[in-house]
């Protein structure tokens, strides 16, 4: 882009933005920043980007900052906006690719935080395959109300308590005012923080990045070090493909299982692996879950927040505990192997990061279920399920949208023992495969998470707890079995044996499916219309 007589015009344009002849000879480093002032997880990312730029300049390169979008799942939850969240992942990946390829940047620092931004940027890094490093923005501190640790999930569940008459509007308002005290991604092991931990486990961010709080000096120091490191990676030509290997994905899944992370990682790691040219069958998640125990009892299904995980030694300490299950020779963006990165790591609180011989649960955090209701699989966060609900049979209460289900809950029409089915909310049927935190949190707030299960072809938030089974495939829009369920059909959930089925004969299912008629897409214009008419892998 900048060498030779024939590129004089490019040099002229670069000089227009203030570069000197000397600057033009240096490596050009892109800084993909997802700053926006509407998302708590991103409002501080200007400061993070400034620290990265200082590191890039100190290492002898030229930083060029550009932005991409960021959607807050919490703000988008429970209404039409949630349909746009998952599809934003592809737009983020595409926008970064366009900027980097058009301007022939030598390396990229990705500054990211929330749910779809981190996986979208990881997809871009894999697709571009140039030197890349990530600085995840860090978690929010927990709020404090009457001496109790609180966060955004408490507010979601308080909605259910308000519907049930268990709390007053004044009590709800007090919680609103204290749950989210400042910048950063929400305080527990929700999707944003799960993906930050997964990014570090993949080797794409520097050690301790995932658990450094958003408002901490440690985050700024890591940002500056990352700016220096990317220049080193460019000079050594250490590309993303050298880090995003099959072994790295194996490490990431193992860490995910030990953390009891969000079910969304199944969607995201699969998409990132595809961009990296790595085969990652759905069965891999279940196989790893059966081998790697759940070691960290994190919010929302446990008591510990991200600050406590960091104080306990962070992801390096957890990975050191998991060493028997990891590929420790995997290369990382530190320029060192995983083994070298974790050599000095220590578990500083064995209640937060349990030893292998004293796990929270024997198996890991995610299970893949199969059966006549989900021939291609369904996903459940096992560590968020009460032992009383690991096996459950009950009558289906069938709804064709999330809104219908929530209305029934508000009217107290869901009874103990029911299995709430929410269909036509998959990738195509939604379209956009919206998260279902509002119904799951409402069920929990109403005190029914020990007796009511939820099943959907959509997906669940990382903040979900209880027997909530998502990603049912094939989805209703494509004529999956979930499309022909009726109120009163008995559904059987057997998580230990990985079973999800409806108690109907094969013949009855065939008859119902033969009578099923495809539906028109809910949305026919705009960005989401491209998801409805075409299959999504």
């Amino acid at each position: 882009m900048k060498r030779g007589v024939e590129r004089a015009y490019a040099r002229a344009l670069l000089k227009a933005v203030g570069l000197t002849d000397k600057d033009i000879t240096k490596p050009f480093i892109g800084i993909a920043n997802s700053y926006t002032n509407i998302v708590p997880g991103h409002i501080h990312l200007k400061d993070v980007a400034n620290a990265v730029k200082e590191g890039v300049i100190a290492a002898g390169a030229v930083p060029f900052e550009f932005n991409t979008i960021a959607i807050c799942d919490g703000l988008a939850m429970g209404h039409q906006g949630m349909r746009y969240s998952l599809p934003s992942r592809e737009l983020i990946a595409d926008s970064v690719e366009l900027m980097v390829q058009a301007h022939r940047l030598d390396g990229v620092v990705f500054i990211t935080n929330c749910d779809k931004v981190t996986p979208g940027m990881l997809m871009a890094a894999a697709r571009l395959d140039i030197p890349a490093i990530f600085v995840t923005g860090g978690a929010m501190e927990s709020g404090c109300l009457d001496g109790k640790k609180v966060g955004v999930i408490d507010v979601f569940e308080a909605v259910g308590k308000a519907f049930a008459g268990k709390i007053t509007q004044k009590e709800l308002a007090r919680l609103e005012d204290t749950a989210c005290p400042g910048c950063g991604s929400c305080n527990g092991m929700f999707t944003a923080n799960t993906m930050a931990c997964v990014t570090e486990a993949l080797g794409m961010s520097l050690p301790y990045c995932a658990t450094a709080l958003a408002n901490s000096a440690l985050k700024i120091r890591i940002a500056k070090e990352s700016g220096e490191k990317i220049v080193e990676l460019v000079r050594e030509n250490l590309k993303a493909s050298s880090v995003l290997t099959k072994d790295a994905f194996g490490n990431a899944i193992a860490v995910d299982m030990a953390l009891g992370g969000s079910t969304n990682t199944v969607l995201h790691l699969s998409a990132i692996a595809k961009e990296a040219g790595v085969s990652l069958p759905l069965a891999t998640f279940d196989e790893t879950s059966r081998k790697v125990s759940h070691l960290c009892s994190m919010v929302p299904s446990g008591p510990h927040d991200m600050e406590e995980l960091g104080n306990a030694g962070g992801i390096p300490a957890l990975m050191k505990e998991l060493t028997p299950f990891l590929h420790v020779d995997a290369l990382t963006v530190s320029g060192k192997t995983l083994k070298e990165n974790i050599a000095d790591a220590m578990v500083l609180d064995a209640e937060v990061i349990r030893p292998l011989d004293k796990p929270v649960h024997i198996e890991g955090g995610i299970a893949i279920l199969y059966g006549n209701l989900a021939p291609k699989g369904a996903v459940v966060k096992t560590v968020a399920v009460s032992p009383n609900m690991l096996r459950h049979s009950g009558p289906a209460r069938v709804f064709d949208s999330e809104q219908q289900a929530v209305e029934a809950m508000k009217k107290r029409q869901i009874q103990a023992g029911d299995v709430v089915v929410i269909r036509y909310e998959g990738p195509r049927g939604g379209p956009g495969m919206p998260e279902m935190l509002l119904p799951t949190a409402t069920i929990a707030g109403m005190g029914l998470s020990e007796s009511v299960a939820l099943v959907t072809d959509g997906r669940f938030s990382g903040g979900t707890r209880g027997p909530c089974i998502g990603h049912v495939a094939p989805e209703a829009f494509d004529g999956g079995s979930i499309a022909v369920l009726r109120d009163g059909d008995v559904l059987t959930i057997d998580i230990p044996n990985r079973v999800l089925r409806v108690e109907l004969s094969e013949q009855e299912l065939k008859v119902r499916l033969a009578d099923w008629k495809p539906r028109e897409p809910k949305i026919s214009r705009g960005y989401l219309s491209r998801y409805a008419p075409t299959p999504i892998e």
Side-chain angles (χ1 to χ4, degrees), residues 132-300:
I133 193 168
F134 279 67
V135 183
T136 49
M140 183 187 297
E141 290 183 310
S142 294
C144 183
L145 179 62
D146 299 330
K148 179 186 176 184
K149 180 166 55 188
V150 293
V152 71
I153 191 63
D154 297 286
V155 186
F156 273 101
E157 294 189 1
V159 171
K161 292 177 182 178
F163 288 155
K166 295 182 178 181
I167 61 171
T168 66
Q169 289 293 321
K170 185 175 180 180
E171 289 172 316
L172 181 60
R174 288 186 69 222
L175 182 57
E176 279 182 42
D177 291 343
T178 54
C180 300
C183 66
S185 50
C186 300
N187 66 335
M189 195 53 66
F190 312 125
T191 305
N193 290 325
T194 302
M195 285 308 305
C197 295
V198 162
T199 300
E200 187 175 328
L202 280 168
M204 289 300 292
S205 61
L206 293 180
Y208 303 100
C209 184
T211 54
L213 292 184
N215 61 358
S216 68
L218 176 58
K219 181 63 67 182
I220 297 301
R221 294 199 300 271
I222 289 173
K224 191 175 293 186
E225 289 169 0
S226 298
E228 294 174 351
K229 183 59 68 173
I230 188 64
V231 181
E232 182 181 321
L233 297 180
V234 167
R235 288 179 173 144
E236 294 176 359
N237 197 28
L238 198 159
K239 299 179 179 180
S241 58
S242 299
V243 177
L244 292 173
T245 61
K246 190 172 185 65
D247 285 351
F249 282 97
N251 290 343
I253 295 172
V255 167
D256 187 18
M257 295 305 163
L259 289 169
S262 167
T263 54
N264 285 316
T265 54
V266 176
L267 293 171
H268 297 325
L269 281 171
S270 298
I272 298 159
K274 185 175 181 180
E275 294 286 0
V278 173
S279 174
L280 196 63
L282 187 60
T284 304
F285 292 88
D286 202 68
E287 291 165 3
T288 306
S289 182
R290 291 188 181 277
K291 291 187 296 185
V292 178
S293 297
H294 176 215
L295 301 184
C296 303
S297 187
M298 303 291 294
V299 172

Side-chain angles (χ1 to χ4, degrees), residues 161-493:
K161 292 177 182 178
F163 288 155
K166 295 182 178 181
I167 61 171
T168 66
Q169 289 293 321
K170 185 175 180 180
E171 289 172 316
L172 181 60
R174 288 186 69 222
L175 182 57
E176 279 182 42
D177 291 343
T178 54
C180 300
C183 66
S185 50
C186 300
N187 66 335
M189 195 53 66
F190 312 125
T191 305
N193 290 325
T194 302
M195 285 308 305
C197 295
V198 162
T199 300
E200 187 175 328
L202 280 168
M204 289 300 292
S205 61
L206 293 180
Y208 303 100
C209 184
T211 54
L213 292 184
N215 61 358
S216 68
L218 176 58
K219 181 63 67 182
I220 297 301
R221 294 199 300 271
I222 289 173
K224 191 175 293 186
E225 289 169 0
S226 298
E228 294 174 351
K229 183 59 68 173
I230 188 64
V231 181
E232 182 181 321
L233 297 180
V234 167
R235 288 179 173 144
E236 294 176 359
N237 197 28
L238 198 159
K239 299 179 179 180
S241 58
S242 299
V243 177
L244 292 173
T245 61
K246 190 172 185 65
D247 285 351
F249 282 97
N251 290 343
I253 295 172
V255 167
D256 187 18
M257 295 305 163
L259 289 169
S262 167
T263 54
N264 285 316
T265 54
V266 176
L267 293 171
H268 297 325
L269 281 171
S270 298
I272 298 159
K274 185 175 181 180
E275 294 286 0
V278 173
S279 174
L280 196 63
L282 187 60
T284 304
F285 292 88
D286 202 68
E287 291 165 3
T288 306
S289 182
R290 291 188 181 277
K291 291 187 296 185
V292 178
S293 297
H294 176 215
L295 301 184
C296 303
S297 187
M298 303 291 294
V299 172
S301 53
H304 303 300
D305 64 10
M306 289 298 293
E307 183 174 9
E308 289 170 297
L309 180 60
N311 291 340
I315 301 305
L318 175 61
M319 295 186 85
K320 191 161 189 178
E321 188 65 31
L322 292 173
T323 295
F325 304 103
L326 301 180
H327 304 280
V328 294
D329 293 328
L331 191 61
T332 74
V333 292
S334 71
K336 301 176 181 178
T337 64
L338 172 61
K339 184 177 182 179
E340 292 172 309
N341 278 352
I342 65 175
D344 296 327
M346 294 177 60
V347 174
L348 303 175
D349 188 335
E351 284 302 310
V352 179
I353 302 175
R354 299 276 194 94
L356 288 173
D357 60 0
K358 192 183 176 184
V360 183
H361 296 97
I362 295 297
E363 292 190 351
I366 291 174
I368 310 299
L369 311 184
Y370 295 93
N372 63 358
L373 190 53
K376 293 186 177 180
V379 181
V380 63
K381 184 176 179 177
T382 57
V383 298
V385 181
S386 161
N388 299 330
M389 292 295 287
L390 291 172
R391 292 182 174 89
H392 178 75
S393 288
R397 293 296 314 280
V398 183
F399 303 94
D400 287 347
S401 71
E402 176 188 10
Q403 288 72 26
Q404 289 180 9
V406 172
E407 282 303 310
M409 293 171 192
K410 287 168 66 175
K411 295 174 182 176
R412 311 292 297 275
Q413 293 174 353
I414 304 302
Q415 305 299 320
D418 287 346
V419 179
V420 175
V421 176
I422 305 174
R423 63 189 179 190
Y424 292 101
E425 296 286 17
R428 299 180 69 202
M433 204 179 188
E435 285 187 345
M436 306 285 171
L437 180 55
L438 189 54
T440 62
T442 301
I443 287 289
M446 294 174 73
L448 295 173
S449 59
E450 292 273 342
S451 59
V452 171
L454 291 96
V455 175
T456 183
D457 54 6
R459 61 195 177 92
F460 290 118
S461 163
T464 294
R465 61 186 179 96
C468 302
I469 299 164
H471 309 199
V472 170
E475 62 176 294
F477 190 87
D478 287 337
S481 302
I482 192 172
V484 297
L485 291 182
R486 299 171 184 167
D487 279 349
D489 287 343
V490 176
L491 302 190
T492 295
I493 300 163

Side-chain angles (χ1 to χ4, degrees), residues 468-523:
C468 302
I469 299 164
H471 309 199
V472 170
E475 62 176 294
F477 190 87
D478 287 337
S481 302
I482 192 172
V484 297
L485 291 182
R486 299 171 184 167
D487 279 349
D489 287 343
V490 176
L491 302 190
T492 295
I493 300 163
D494 185 344
I495 294 173
N497 289 309
R498 307 304 199 250
V499 171
L500 175 64
R501 69 173 181 265
V502 55
E503 300 300 340
L504 296 174
S505 68
E506 186 177 344
Q507 181 61 30
E508 174 64 16
L509 268 179
K510 283 183 179 179
V511 169
R512 291 191 189 183
L513 287 168
D515 290 338
W516 175 79
K517 299 290 189 296
R519 296 191 176 191
E520 289 296 317
K522 294 176 185 175
I523 293 176

